């Protein structure tokens, strides 16, 4: 079936169709309500995070062209909760007349790490040294790459699947040359192209979050520090502490330039390595609302979710200034063993101890390591950062595990 062009009456609310029914779509729906818009979501089931709250849900698959056409039908724009829609399907939607944002020629740079690395290099953006491998016949390139690095046989390397990875999936640290060969062979034998990279000596990881409209307007939030554990972001500090102003401005300008060069429409995240020698290297790209921007829901004048809707509908973009000197966001990850106390009961106890905690739960079943929510803490003074981070860690652990790491007793009637 062909997608029907948008024919809504002039007085009707704009309709934004979003592929994916996860927490990003759920929080985008919250922003759409305030803007008087309708968010339609393509979800795999009625119990997905966004499907629980949106009244306009299409049940289907992002790999099925007919399902994509159903969710796009009559919508002003089609956008994304995730980046896994096959490029060839998106190109067919564009040929149907569907307004896809970001367009497939931009989105492919967030889908394919090898395409991304090559394009960034061509644009003069600093990236880790790498080599791309497409087939087992290129396996000897692993040894050749090590020689180009001037590395020894026991130097660790990073092996990445070119497509399909997120939250650390598809990214493996090879202990040495032999391990790198084995992991690369494993991927290539499955027909998965590989990006082999040097292991960068890091100070920390940063993220530059921006938005761009079809008109070409851009807006940048403060650069943040992201704290990773086992490949998953566990905490975000906004703005990144002790980041020189010139480095922060350079990161924002880089993100805005890349958004323009790649033709991005919507929110765009550039994940960066802050190296021990002071260089900023691009690690990953995301073309959708991003975990590094969850702090904006409470700590910025315009949240990333509202901004994404503004951008894809070509509204003027919102003010991205922080409203407090420091915000700490912490992810709530499912415990290895689900606590006996319900999540709602845990929430009661958390608010009793920390009434200033800003909790955002996703309506997702608790499973080990799964993101089930996040919490924002706002600080009036950058000097509060150590205490905010401690409180954030305590709060997230409590919501996930049902245990206070510091042994706090609610009967003492004191608040941290």
């Amino acid at each position: 079936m062909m997608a029907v062009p948008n024919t809504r009456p002039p007085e009707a609310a704009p309709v934004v169709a979003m592929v994916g029914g996860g927490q990003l779509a759920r929080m985008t729906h919250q922003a759409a309500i305030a803007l008087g818009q309708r968010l339609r979501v393509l979800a795999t089931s009625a119990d997905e995070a966004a499907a629980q709250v949106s009244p306009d849900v299409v049940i289907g698959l992002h790999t099925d062209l007919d399902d994509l056409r159903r969710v796009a039908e009559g919508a002003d724009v089609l956008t994304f909760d995730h980046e896994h829609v096959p490029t060839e399907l998106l190109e067919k939607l564009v040929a149907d007349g569907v307004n896809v944002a970001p367009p497939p020629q931009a989105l492919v740079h967030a889908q394919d790490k090898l395409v991304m690395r090559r394009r960034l290099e061509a644009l003069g953006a600093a990236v880790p040294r790498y080599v791309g491998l497409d087939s087992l016949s290129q396996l000897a390139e692993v040894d050749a790459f090590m020689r180009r690095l001037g590395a020894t046989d026991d130097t660790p390397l990073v092996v990445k699947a070119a497509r399909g990875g997120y939250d650390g999936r598809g990214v493996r640290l090879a202990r040495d040359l032999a391990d790198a060969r084995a992991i690369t062979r494993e991927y290539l034998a499955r027909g998965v192209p590989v990006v082999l990279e040097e292991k960068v000596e890091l100070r920390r990881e940063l993220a530059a979050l921006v938005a761009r409209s079809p008109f070409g307007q851009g807006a940048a939030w403060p650069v943040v520090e992201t704290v990773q554990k086992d490949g998953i972001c566990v905490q975000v500090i906004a703005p990144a502490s002790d980041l020189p102003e010139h480095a922060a401005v350079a990161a924002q300008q880089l993100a805005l330039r890349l958004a323009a060069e790649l033709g991005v429409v919507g929110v765009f995240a550039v994940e960066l390595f802050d190296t021990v020698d002071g260089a900023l290297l691009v690690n990953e790209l995301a073309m959708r609302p991003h975990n590094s921007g969850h702090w904006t829901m409470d700590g910025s004048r315009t949240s990333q979710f509202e901004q994404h809707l503004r951008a894809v509908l070509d509204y003027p973009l919102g003010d991205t200034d922080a409203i407090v000197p420091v915000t700490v966001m912490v992810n709530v990850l499912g415990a290895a063993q689900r606590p006996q106390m319900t999540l709602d009961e845990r929430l009661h106890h958390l608010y009793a101890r920390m009434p200033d905690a800003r909790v955002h739960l996703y309506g997702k079943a608790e499973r080990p390591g799964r993101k089930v929510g996040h919490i924002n803490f706002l600080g009036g003074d950058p000097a509060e950062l150590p205490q905010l981070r401690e409180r954030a860690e305590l709060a997230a652990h409590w919501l996930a595990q049902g245990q206070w790491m510091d042994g706090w007793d609610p009967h003492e009637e004191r608040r941290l």
Side-chain angles (χ1 to χ4, degrees):
M1 87 183 241
M2 299 293 288
V4 178
N6 175 29
T7 56
R8 66 178 172 85
E11 69 277 6
V15 177
V16 176
M18 182 166 269
V19 178
Q23 66 262 26
L24 300 181
R26 182 186 179 104
M27 290 181 278
T28 303
H29 171 69
Q30 293 175 240
I33 293 171
L35 297 176
Q37 300 166 0
R38 284 176 52 202
L39 187 77
R40 179 185 303 150
V41 298
L42 178 64
T44 57
S45 67
D47 63 354
E48 279 200 89
Q52 296 173 22
V53 296
S54 174
D56 194 353
V57 179
V58 173
I59 303 299
L61 300 175
H62 66 272
T63 53
D64 186 292
L65 180 59
D66 287 339
D67 290 341
L68 291 169
R69 283 174 167 157
R70 283 196 297 135
V71 77
E73 186 173 349
D76 293 74
V77 62
L78 177 78
T79 189
F80 307 95
D81 165 278
H82 61 74
E83 294 138 335
H84 305 311
V85 184
T87 306
E88 60 272 18
L89 298 187
L90 294 178
E91 290 171 344
K92 290 179 179 178
L93 293 180
V94 172
D96 289 347
V98 176
N99 177 19
V100 178
Q105 65 269 25
L107 190 65
V108 68
H109 297 93
Q111 296 174 321
D112 191 307
K113 293 179 175 62
L114 188 51
V115 171
M116 179 261 291
R117 280 281 180 265
R118 288 169 175 164
R119 184 67 188 282
L120 291 179
E121 203 169 37
L123 292 173
V127 298
R129 289 177 290 180
Y130 75 98
V131 65
L133 306 173
D134 297 307
S135 68
L136 283 169
S137 64
Q138 296 178 295
L139 199 57
E141 280 294 313
V142 177
D143 295 63
F145 180 61
M146 291 288 278
R147 290 194 297 271
R148 289 199 297 275
L149 293 179
T152 63
D153 286 357
D154 59 358
T155 299
L157 291 170
V158 179
V159 187
K160 297 181 177 180
R163 278 184 172 261
Y166 67 99
D167 279 351
R169 297 172 177 86
V171 178
R172 294 170 64 178
L173 178 62
R175 299 181 303 274
D176 51 30
L177 175 58
D179 197 26
R181 282 197 209 104
I183 297 171
T184 302
R185 183 183 294 108
E186 177 188 331
Y187 279 138
L188 295 177
R190 301 203 312 261
V192 178
V194 165
V195 178
L196 188 65
E197 289 184 357
E198 64 177 324
K199 183 177 181 295
V200 177
E201 294 298 321
L202 295 179
R203 290 180 60 239
R204 57 182 170 177
E205 295 190 44
L206 304 173
L209 192 73
V210 301
R212 181 177 178 271
S213 71
F215 180 73
Q217 184 186 9
W221 285 273
V223 177
V224 302
E225 177 179 352
T226 64
V227 181
Q228 314 289 323
K229 183 178 180 182
D230 298 326
I232 300 176
C233 178
V234 294
Q235 198 172 101
V236 171
I237 301 162
S241 59
D242 301 321
L243 182 65
E245 183 178 358
H246 69 87
V249 170
Q252 291 173 316
Q253 290 177 340
L254 172 65
L256 289 169
R257 179 172 73 86
L258 293 178
E261 293 277 8
L262 299 177
V264 175
V265 173
V267 167
F268 177 53
V270 180
E271 298 181 48
L272 298 158
F273 290 146
D274 184 7
T275 68
V276 293
D277 59 5
L280 293 180
L281 306 179
V282 179
N283 177 32
E284 302 281 358
L285 303 178
M287 297 183 191
R288 52 174 169 75
H290 191 254
N291 200 178
S292 68
H294 288 354
W295 71 274
T296 64
M297 296 180 75
D298 300 296
S300 173
R301 295 190 184 281
T302 306
S303 81
Q304 65 165 341
F305 300 101
E306 177 183 334
Q307 195 81 298
H308 188 71
L309 289 168
R310 289 194 189 205
V312 299
L313 288 169
D314 210 9
Y315 290 13
L317 299 182
D319 186 343
T320 50
D321 286 348
I323 62 173
V324 291
V326 61
T327 301
V328 173
M329 187 284 298
V330 62
N331 280 320
V332 180
L333 305 177
Q337 184 172 355
R338 184 174 176 176
Q340 289 188 340
M341 186 184 296
T342 67
L343 185 56
D344 185 59
E345 289 178 285
R346 283 172 262 156
L347 186 62
H348 276 68
H349 285 276
L350 175 64
Y351 281 148
R353 184 179 186 184
M354 301 178 184
D356 61 323
R358 289 162 165 82
V359 179
H360 303 270
L361 297 177
Y362 305 153
K364 295 166 71 172
E366 296 175 78
R367 294 203 296 262
R370 190 185 200 191
K371 293 175 184 174
V372 296
H374 71 270
I375 312 169
N376 288 328
F377 286 89
L378 278 59
D381 188 331
E384 296 179 42
L385 179 57
Q387 183 188 25
L388 284 178
R389 294 190 66 181
E390 179 186 1
R391 296 177 73 226
E393 186 176 3
L394 284 169
H397 189 273
W398 166 256
L399 270 190
Q401 309 280 350
Q403 297 176 341
W404 291 110
M405 290 190 298
D406 60 353
W408 184 76
D409 184 352
H411 300 293
E412 294 181 9
E413 296 184 356
R414 60 182 177 85
R415 291 173 176 170
L416 181 67

